[in-house]
Amino acid sequence: MIEAAYTKALNKHLPLNVRCWKINDAFEGGVPDCFYRDKTGSVPALWSEHKLIKALPKRESTLIVPNLSALQLMWLMEAKEANERVCVVIGCEELRTHEGVKSVILFDPKQWQQGVSKNYFIENALNYKKIVVKMGF
């Protein structure tokens, strides 16, 4: 699976009242992968960057750090500083089930930069439907 297919699979689980803009901007680097808006206005909009890893690290002590470019991190941090909702979602192909690729959702900028432990990932990995709920939708 490639990252674009992962994002598409995740977005299929959005409720009908949520509009998703899958961003592919050839002119401005670093723009997050998706922008989500609840059409009813009951949930604030959300910027989301999606990353896909093949497998978890072998060692428990190895951190899983999202592979964000400097521009991606800049966009995410600027959005966060502007009080916009922002997250990074990391899926792991190794944890694929009949419910899709298990993923974690990170709202904390420290986790985007420093990563999370293998244990944290396993304990917090969710299916697509539950990730969408964690997004607030």
Side-chain angles (χ1 to χ4, degrees):
M1 177 178 270
I2 60 171
E3 215 167 90
Y6 165 70
T7 297
K8 186 176 182 177
L10 175 64
N11 288 342
K12 284 183 181 179
H13 294 275
L14 292 166
L16 294 176
N17 63 304
V18 175
R19 180 176 305 283
C20 173
W21 174 25
K22 171 60 180 101
I23 304 166
N24 185 8
D25 193 328
F27 300 102
E28 181 70 38
V31 180
D33 289 322
C34 293
F35 180 76
Y36 300 100
R37 180 183 302 125
D38 180 330
K39 293 185 232 177
T40 68
S42 62
V43 178
L46 173 73
W47 295 97
S48 183
E49 179 63 35
H50 302 157
K51 297 296 180 183
L52 183 64
I53 60 174
K54 297 251 183 246
L56 295 173
K58 302 275 186 253
R59 294 184 189 166
E60 296 294 327
S61 60
T62 303
L63 293 176
I64 300 162
V65 182
N67 187 20
L68 299 172
S69 72
L71 282 174
Q72 286 173 325
L73 187 57
M74 180 197 76
W75 267 89
L76 294 169
M77 294 302 286
E78 282 181 356
K80 186 79 171 171
E81 289 164 8
N83 292 318
E84 297 172 342
R85 291 191 327 126
V86 187
C87 70
V88 174
V89 180
I90 308 172
C92 179
E93 285 192 84
E94 178 183 33
L95 300 182
R96 180 191 298 266
T97 69
H98 68 283
E99 297 177 318
V101 173
K102 295 278 187 146
S103 309
V104 295
I105 185 167
L106 308 176
F107 291 100
D108 184 349
K110 286 182 184 176
Q111 291 176 319
W112 307 340
Q113 297 173 73
Q114 298 169 7
V116 296
S117 69
K118 177 181 177 179
N119 244 10
Y120 179 94
F121 198 103
I122 292 169
E123 290 171 7
N124 292 278
L126 302 169
N127 64 34
Y128 295 138
K129 287 180 185 176
K130 291 181 180 173
I131 287 292
V132 168
V133 170
K134 273 276 241 211
M135 288 175 156
F137 304 116

mmCIF file of all heavy atoms in Angstrom, residues 81-106:
data_model
loop_
_atom_site.group_PDB
_atom_site.id
_atom_site.type_symbol
_atom_site.label_atom_id
_atom_site.label_comp_id
_atom_site.label_asym_id
_atom_site.label_seq_id
_atom_site.Cartn_x
_atom_site.Cartn_y
_atom_site.Cartn_z
ATOM 1 N N GLU A 81 -0.279 27.013 15.966
ATOM 2 C CA GLU A 81 -0.100 28.324 16.606
ATOM 3 C C GLU A 81 -1.250 29.277 16.286
ATOM 4 O O GLU A 81 -1.515 30.209 17.037
ATOM 5 C CB GLU A 81 1.242 28.922 16.197
ATOM 6 C CG GLU A 81 2.416 28.188 16.833
ATOM 7 C CD GLU A 81 3.760 28.477 16.186
ATOM 8 O OE1 GLU A 81 3.848 29.376 15.318
ATOM 9 O OE2 GLU A 81 4.727 27.771 16.541
ATOM 10 N N ALA A 82 -1.944 29.044 15.173
ATOM 11 C CA ALA A 82 -3.109 29.845 14.802
ATOM 12 C C ALA A 82 -4.388 29.289 15.432
ATOM 13 O O ALA A 82 -5.498 29.675 15.055
ATOM 14 C CB ALA A 82 -3.243 29.895 13.281
ATOM 15 N N ASN A 83 -4.235 28.367 16.379
ATOM 16 C CA ASN A 83 -5.348 27.727 17.091
ATOM 17 C C ASN A 83 -6.260 26.919 16.175
ATOM 18 O O ASN A 83 -7.454 26.797 16.421
ATOM 19 C CB ASN A 83 -6.158 28.752 17.896
ATOM 20 C CG ASN A 83 -5.355 29.300 19.038
ATOM 21 O OD1 ASN A 83 -4.649 28.558 19.730
ATOM 22 N ND2 ASN A 83 -5.423 30.600 19.240
ATOM 23 N N GLU A 84 -5.686 26.386 15.101
ATOM 24 C CA GLU A 84 -6.424 25.468 14.242
ATOM 25 C C GLU A 84 -6.155 24.043 14.728
ATOM 26 O O GLU A 84 -5.105 23.766 15.297
ATOM 27 C CB GLU A 84 -5.981 25.640 12.787
ATOM 28 C CG GLU A 84 -6.290 27.016 12.246
ATOM 29 C CD GLU A 84 -5.699 27.292 10.884
ATOM 30 O OE1 GLU A 84 -4.773 26.583 10.450
ATOM 31 O OE2 GLU A 84 -6.165 28.237 10.249
ATOM 32 N N ARG A 85 -7.097 23.151 14.490
ATOM 33 C CA ARG A 85 -6.889 21.746 14.872
ATOM 34 C C ARG A 85 -5.970 21.084 13.861
ATOM 35 O O ARG A 85 -6.148 21.230 12.657
ATOM 36 C CB ARG A 85 -8.224 20.998 14.958
ATOM 37 C CG ARG A 85 -9.061 21.461 16.116
ATOM 38 C CD ARG A 85 -10.266 20.585 16.413
ATOM 39 N NE ARG A 85 -10.870 19.959 15.266
ATOM 40 C CZ ARG A 85 -11.097 18.642 15.153
ATOM 41 N NH1 ARG A 85 -10.777 17.812 16.114
ATOM 42 N NH2 ARG A 85 -11.669 18.153 14.072
ATOM 43 N N VAL A 86 -4.994 20.351 14.385
ATOM 44 C CA VAL A 86 -3.968 19.735 13.554
ATOM 45 C C VAL A 86 -3.618 18.363 14.122
ATOM 46 O O VAL A 86 -3.554 18.195 15.335
ATOM 47 C CB VAL A 86 -2.683 20.597 13.540
ATOM 48 C CG1 VAL A 86 -1.678 20.052 12.556
ATOM 49 C CG2 VAL A 86 -2.980 22.038 13.250
ATOM 50 N N CYS A 87 -3.360 17.400 13.236
ATOM 51 C CA CYS A 87 -2.900 16.093 13.707
ATOM 52 C C CYS A 87 -1.995 15.441 12.667
ATOM 53 O O CYS A 87 -1.971 15.838 11.501
ATOM 54 C CB CYS A 87 -4.083 15.173 14.022
ATOM 55 S SG CYS A 87 -5.005 14.618 12.580
ATOM 56 N N VAL A 88 -1.260 14.455 13.136
ATOM 57 C CA VAL A 88 -0.486 13.579 12.268
ATOM 58 C C VAL A 88 -0.997 12.170 12.534
ATOM 59 O O VAL A 88 -1.098 11.751 13.688
ATOM 60 C CB VAL A 88 1.031 13.673 12.551
ATOM 61 C CG1 VAL A 88 1.801 12.641 11.736
ATOM 62 C CG2 VAL A 88 1.545 15.077 12.261
ATOM 63 N N VAL A 89 -1.354 11.467 11.477
ATOM 64 C CA VAL A 89 -1.844 10.087 11.597
ATOM 65 C C VAL A 89 -0.785 9.176 10.986
ATOM 66 O O VAL A 89 -0.351 9.395 9.860
ATOM 67 C CB VAL A 89 -3.193 9.908 10.858
ATOM 68 C CG1 VAL A 89 -3.687 8.477 10.992
ATOM 69 C CG2 VAL A 89 -4.235 10.894 11.385
ATOM 70 N N ILE A 90 -0.369 8.175 11.755
ATOM 71 C CA ILE A 90 0.629 7.214 11.273
ATOM 72 C C ILE A 90 -0.015 5.839 11.223
ATOM 73 O O ILE A 90 -0.478 5.318 12.232
ATOM 74 C CB ILE A 90 1.862 7.143 12.207
ATOM 75 C CG1 ILE A 90 2.439 8.527 12.463
ATOM 76 C CG2 ILE A 90 2.915 6.211 11.608
ATOM 77 C CD1 ILE A 90 3.521 8.533 13.530
ATOM 78 N N GLY A 91 -0.042 5.252 10.039
ATOM 79 C CA GLY A 91 -0.542 3.894 9.867
ATOM 80 C C GLY A 91 0.616 2.922 9.765
ATOM 81 O O GLY A 91 1.702 3.280 9.315
ATOM 82 N N CYS A 92 0.373 1.688 10.183
ATOM 83 C CA CYS A 92 1.404 0.643 10.111
ATOM 84 C C CYS A 92 0.845 -0.560 9.361
ATOM 85 O O CYS A 92 -0.072 -1.236 9.850
ATOM 86 C CB CYS A 92 1.861 0.245 11.503
ATOM 87 S SG CYS A 92 3.103 -1.066 11.492
ATOM 88 N N GLU A 93 1.409 -0.826 8.187
ATOM 89 C CA GLU A 93 0.929 -1.934 7.353
ATOM 90 C C GLU A 93 1.001 -3.277 8.056
ATOM 91 O O GLU A 93 0.151 -4.142 7.850
ATOM 92 C CB GLU A 93 1.727 -1.992 6.050
ATOM 93 C CG GLU A 93 1.342 -0.917 5.070
ATOM 94 C CD GLU A 93 1.929 -1.168 3.705
ATOM 95 O OE1 GLU A 93 1.314 -1.944 2.939
ATOM 96 O OE2 GLU A 93 2.996 -0.603 3.432
ATOM 97 N N GLU A 94 2.012 -3.461 8.884
ATOM 98 C CA GLU A 94 2.178 -4.712 9.615
ATOM 99 C C GLU A 94 0.968 -4.999 10.513
ATOM 100 O O GLU A 94 0.652 -6.150 10.787
ATOM 101 C CB GLU A 94 3.455 -4.625 10.466
ATOM 102 C CG GLU A 94 3.737 -5.843 11.310
ATOM 103 C CD GLU A 94 4.968 -5.664 12.186
ATOM 104 O OE1 GLU A 94 5.250 -4.527 12.637
ATOM 105 O OE2 GLU A 94 5.648 -6.674 12.423
ATOM 106 N N LEU A 95 0.272 -3.944 10.944
ATOM 107 C CA LEU A 95 -0.874 -4.095 11.847
ATOM 108 C C LEU A 95 -2.205 -4.082 11.089
ATOM 109 O O LEU A 95 -3.235 -3.752 11.649
ATOM 110 C CB LEU A 95 -0.860 -2.991 12.909
ATOM 111 C CG LEU A 95 0.373 -2.936 13.806
ATOM 112 C CD1 LEU A 95 0.239 -1.820 14.836
ATOM 113 C CD2 LEU A 95 0.617 -4.273 14.490
ATOM 114 N N ARG A 96 -2.183 -4.472 9.832
ATOM 115 C CA ARG A 96 -3.396 -4.508 9.019
ATOM 116 C C ARG A 96 -4.307 -5.646 9.500
ATOM 117 O O ARG A 96 -3.859 -6.759 9.769
ATOM 118 C CB ARG A 96 -3.045 -4.724 7.553
ATOM 119 C CG ARG A 96 -4.259 -4.782 6.635
ATOM 120 C CD ARG A 96 -3.862 -5.268 5.254
ATOM 121 N NE ARG A 96 -2.917 -4.381 4.614
ATOM 122 C CZ ARG A 96 -3.249 -3.401 3.780
ATOM 123 N NH1 ARG A 96 -4.515 -3.176 3.512
ATOM 124 N NH2 ARG A 96 -2.327 -2.661 3.225
ATOM 125 N N THR A 97 -5.594 -5.344 9.599
ATOM 126 C CA THR A 97 -6.610 -6.340 9.944
ATOM 127 C C THR A 97 -7.728 -6.235 8.907
ATOM 128 O O THR A 97 -7.634 -5.428 7.966
ATOM 129 C CB THR A 97 -7.206 -6.086 11.346
ATOM 130 O OG1 THR A 97 -7.998 -4.881 11.295
ATOM 131 C CG2 THR A 97 -6.124 -5.959 12.410
ATOM 132 N N HIS A 98 -8.798 -6.986 9.104
ATOM 133 C CA HIS A 98 -9.945 -6.878 8.199
ATOM 134 C C HIS A 98 -10.593 -5.485 8.292
ATOM 135 O O HIS A 98 -11.365 -5.101 7.421
ATOM 136 C CB HIS A 98 -10.971 -7.973 8.493
ATOM 137 C CG HIS A 98 -11.666 -7.815 9.804
ATOM 138 N ND1 HIS A 98 -11.077 -8.140 11.006
ATOM 139 C CD2 HIS A 98 -12.888 -7.326 10.100
ATOM 140 C CE1 HIS A 98 -11.912 -7.872 11.991
ATOM 141 N NE2 HIS A 98 -13.021 -7.385 11.465
ATOM 142 N N GLU A 99 -10.260 -4.722 9.352
ATOM 143 C CA GLU A 99 -10.791 -3.362 9.521
ATOM 144 C C GLU A 99 -9.849 -2.311 8.940
ATOM 145 O O GLU A 99 -10.064 -1.123 9.106
ATOM 146 C CB GLU A 99 -11.019 -3.073 11.000
ATOM 147 C CG GLU A 99 -12.061 -3.965 11.635
ATOM 148 C CD GLU A 99 -12.213 -3.693 13.109
ATOM 149 O OE1 GLU A 99 -11.193 -3.505 13.801
ATOM 150 O OE2 GLU A 99 -13.366 -3.658 13.563
ATOM 151 N N GLY A 100 -8.806 -2.744 8.279
ATOM 152 C CA GLY A 100 -7.867 -1.815 7.664
ATOM 153 C C GLY A 100 -6.552 -1.724 8.410
ATOM 154 O O GLY A 100 -6.263 -2.509 9.318
ATOM 155 N N VAL A 101 -5.760 -0.751 8.019
ATOM 156 C CA VAL A 101 -4.445 -0.525 8.621
ATOM 157 C C VAL A 101 -4.628 0.159 9.965
ATOM 158 O O VAL A 101 -5.290 1.194 10.046
ATOM 159 C CB VAL A 101 -3.572 0.356 7.688
ATOM 160 C CG1 VAL A 101 -2.278 0.742 8.355
ATOM 161 C CG2 VAL A 101 -3.304 -0.368 6.373
ATOM 162 N N LYS A 102 -4.061 -0.421 11.013
ATOM 163 C CA LYS A 102 -4.138 0.191 12.338
ATOM 164 C C LYS A 102 -3.243 1.428 12.350
ATOM 165 O O LYS A 102 -2.157 1.437 11.765
ATOM 166 C CB LYS A 102 -3.693 -0.785 13.423
ATOM 167 C CG LYS A 102 -4.592 -1.984 13.569
ATOM 168 C CD LYS A 102 -5.794 -1.645 14.410
ATOM 169 C CE LYS A 102 -6.602 -2.886 14.690
ATOM 170 N NZ LYS A 102 -7.216 -2.884 15.977
ATOM 171 N N SER A 103 -3.704 2.457 13.042
ATOM 172 C CA SER A 103 -3.032 3.751 13.017
ATOM 173 C C SER A 103 -3.086 4.409 14.384
ATOM 174 O O SER A 103 -3.949 4.103 15.197
ATOM 175 C CB SER A 103 -3.739 4.680 12.019
ATOM 176 O OG SER A 103 -3.897 4.064 10.770
ATOM 177 N N VAL A 104 -2.169 5.357 14.585
ATOM 178 C CA VAL A 104 -2.241 6.225 15.763
ATOM 179 C C VAL A 104 -2.435 7.646 15.271
ATOM 180 O O VAL A 104 -2.014 8.001 14.163
ATOM 181 C CB VAL A 104 -0.998 6.139 16.679
ATOM 182 C CG1 VAL A 104 -0.860 4.764 17.295
ATOM 183 C CG2 VAL A 104 0.259 6.530 15.952
ATOM 184 N N ILE A 105 -3.069 8.441 16.095
ATOM 185 C CA ILE A 105 -3.287 9.843 15.772
ATOM 186 C C ILE A 105 -2.576 10.682 16.821
ATOM 187 O O ILE A 105 -2.729 10.446 18.023
ATOM 188 C CB ILE A 105 -4.797 10.161 15.665
ATOM 189 C CG1 ILE A 105 -5.026 11.596 15.211
ATOM 190 C CG2 ILE A 105 -5.530 9.852 16.942
ATOM 191 C CD1 ILE A 105 -6.450 11.887 14.777
ATOM 192 N N LEU A 106 -1.764 11.610 16.354
ATOM 193 C CA LEU A 106 -0.952 12.432 17.244
ATOM 194 C C LEU A 106 -1.371 13.891 17.119
ATOM 195 O O LEU A 106 -1.294 14.471 16.037
ATOM 196 C CB LEU A 106 0.534 12.285 16.894
ATOM 197 C CG LEU A 106 1.090 10.858 16.797
ATOM 198 C CD1 LEU A 106 2.541 10.887 16.347
ATOM 199 C CD2 LEU A 106 0.941 10.130 18.120
#
